[in-house]
Amino acid sequence: MEESKPKRKSVFGAYGPSHITDIDWRNQNHQRCVMASLVQGTKILERDRQKGRLGPRALAPPWYEFFHFELFKEIFDRDARCIFGAVYQYKYPTSNLIPKYVIAFRGTLPKRETAMRDWLIDIEVILNNLHKQKRFQQAVEIIKEMVASAGAANVWLAGYSLGAAITLLAAKEMAKMSDQPHLETYLFNPPFISLSLEWMENQELKRGINVTRTFLRGAIAVAKSAVVGLMADDDGGGSSRQFDNPFAAISGWVPHLFVNRGDIICSGYIGYFENREEMKKKGMGRLEMLASRESIIRNFFSNQKIEPAHLLASAVLHVNSRQSTNLKSDHSHRQWWDPLLTIESKVYRHE
């Protein structure tokens, strides 16, 4: 009995979006389901490896073959000795609507073979140290290789939870390269490493707390900008301009964020963008922009440029407002291909 439930979640026909029989790449709901399925396929690739399921016994292939993709490359964590990502190639000629390659990264897999390493990296995400992890650095290498060989327009990225954190940071690094077009990116339940207030029913109180936090973070940012400016003057340089505008290099990159209002892991993005818009209406957009890059706990005693991993300039925010009674369901990957799913979407662009 213990194995039956995980096995069902691995079987595409029983658990996946098999209801999409005719894929329309102009349909955003279809795009979402396909990208979420490819990420799920990456998770099942690792489960197949752990269980020794080879050939016709493997359960991962239907998760990508159903949508006319084939496995191009597994991305293997050399330290943890596990699959944490995959590169999929579309089997047929593509158009500007269909990616030639999709690079997908799985979330935390709480199984004996992977749990410890995944959880340690989760902690590094919370500490804003993901960029130091070999798994992240390996992901960036793969993305750069694929972009160099196929072109940025032919490469899409996707990730869920921990995989979304890796995808977000890697895509942001690519966006900062001025010589590269921005990569189409799909982030499912990406961690927001700051206190989320979406659980609060009192909207006025929530807005008040957000404004107060913005002023506090903005004050820290202004003070640190002054210090950095003095340091730049001492060095004979003017390098503080980019620090003063953390959105400059990534403003044109507009990733798709899929979050559930009841998921404390990712729901902070809702308040993040709503507060930015509210502050902009009040004529305090500049202060909010400075505040966005600050983590009060992490940066209060530091004058170093420690950019929060969740810092985004623009995004298409897709919110599933149908909450359940538990975090497991609200953070689930399956919700994003549920045929009854209703999403509220809004585009936020930094100007």
Side-chain angles (χ1 to χ4, degrees):
M1 286 295 293
E2 186 177 351
E3 181 62 22
S4 62
K5 187 175 181 180
K7 185 176 181 180
R8 180 183 178 276
K9 290 184 178 181
S10 298
V11 177
F12 179 82
Y15 197 70
S18 54
H19 60 280
I20 303 180
T21 56
D22 187 14
I23 306 165
D24 180 2
W25 281 92
R26 291 166 295 188
N27 186 318
Q28 291 188 356
N29 292 326
H30 287 194
Q31 289 182 7
R32 182 192 71 248
C33 290
V34 173
M35 299 301 282
S37 295
L38 295 180
V39 175
Q40 180 74 356
T42 302
K43 171 185 173 182
I44 309 305
L45 280 171
E46 171 56 19
R47 291 296 288 143
D48 282 346
R49 186 196 67 81
Q50 293 176 6
K51 295 290 185 180
R53 296 189 294 239
L54 302 173
R57 294 180 58 240
L59 299 179
W63 287 94
Y64 45 88
E65 290 180 348
F66 187 84
F67 303 107
H68 311 304
F69 283 88
E70 58 188 1
L71 181 62
F72 181 77
K73 178 188 296 187
E74 296 173 347
I75 306 177
F76 200 76
D77 185 321
R78 294 181 285 265
D79 290 338
R81 301 182 62 81
C82 67
I83 298 168
F84 73 96
V87 182
Y88 301 102
Q89 183 177 16
Y90 195 68
K91 291 182 180 180
Y92 307 114
T94 62
S95 66
N96 59 350
L97 296 174
I98 308 174
K100 186 174 182 180
Y101 296 97
V102 174
I103 307 176
F105 299 97
R106 65 168 175 82
T108 301
L109 190 54
K111 302 297 179 182
R112 183 181 62 184
E113 298 88 340
T114 52
M116 184 58 68
R117 180 61 177 165
D118 285 359
W119 286 336
L120 288 174
I121 298 177
D122 284 331
I123 293 173
E124 294 302 314
V125 172
I126 295 172
L127 296 175
N128 205 33
N129 285 328
L130 179 60
H131 61 287
K132 299 178 181 179
Q133 293 297 302
K134 290 183 179 179
R135 184 179 293 189
F136 166 73
Q137 294 165 359
Q138 188 178 347
V140 173
E141 290 176 8
I142 293 292
I143 293 171
K144 287 182 177 179
E145 288 175 6
M146 294 305 301
V147 169
S149 62
N154 295 313
V155 178
W156 289 17
L157 306 180
Y160 164 70
S161 195
L162 172 58
I166 293 173
T167 305
L168 188 158
L169 193 55
K172 188 160 67 170
E173 289 297 308
M174 296 296 292
K176 291 178 180 178
M177 299 179 181
S178 59
D179 60 333
Q180 291 289 351
H182 299 128
L183 299 173
E184 187 79 4
T185 307
Y186 288 75
L187 305 168
F188 300 96
N189 300 87
F192 185 86
I193 313 306
S194 187
L195 178 63
S196 172
L197 301 178
E198 292 309 306
W199 54 271
M200 296 183 66
E201 295 183 2
N202 189 322
Q203 297 301 309
E204 289 298 322
L205 178 59
K206 182 173 75 172
R207 279 194 289 268
I209 293 175
N210 276 328
V211 170
T212 301
R213 291 199 303 185
T214 298
F215 273 104
L216 181 55
R217 288 173 174 160
I220 295 172
V222 170
K224 288 173 64 175
S225 294
V227 172
V228 172
L230 289 173
M231 293 171 61
D233 290 340
D234 289 342
D235 293 339
S239 59
S240 63
R241 181 176 300 174
Q242 180 64 33
F243 182 52
D244 286 338
N245 186 359
F247 295 157
I250 61 171
S251 60
W253 172 53
V254 189
H256 292 266
L257 272 66
F258 298 89
V259 304
N260 187 306
R261 195 174 291 276
D263 180 7
I264 61 172
I265 295 174
C266 67
S267 61
Y269 278 106
I270 301 172
Y272 171 82
F273 283 107
E274 287 180 350
N275 186 56
R276 272 179 44 186
E277 194 167 76
E278 184 72 17
M279 294 296 286
K280 185 177 178 181
K281 290 178 181 177
K282 294 179 183 295
M284 294 182 284
R286 172 66 175 170
L287 177 66
E288 200 285 328
M289 183 187 72
L290 289 172
S292 294
R293 67 156 182 248
E294 294 299 329
S295 169
I296 295 173
I297 296 175
R298 174 80 185 234
N299 291 347
F300 191 80
F301 298 105
S302 172
N303 64 356
Q304 296 179 350
K305 295 186 291 182
I306 306 173
E307 181 180 287
H310 60 251
L311 180 72
L312 289 175
S314 307
V316 184
L317 187 66
H318 308 272
V319 180
N320 177 11
S321 297
R322 190 180 66 186
Q323 303 169 39
S324 68
T325 56
N326 61 80
L327 173 62
K328 185 176 181 181
S329 296
D330 291 337
H331 191 66
S332 73
H333 191 39
R334 186 185 185 277
Q335 66 184 297
W336 302 117
W337 61 74
D338 186 338
L340 300 179
L341 176 65
T342 301
I343 289 182
E344 300 171 10
S345 301
K346 186 171 182 178
V347 180
Y348 293 91
R349 290 186 182 274
H350 172 68
E351 297 176 0

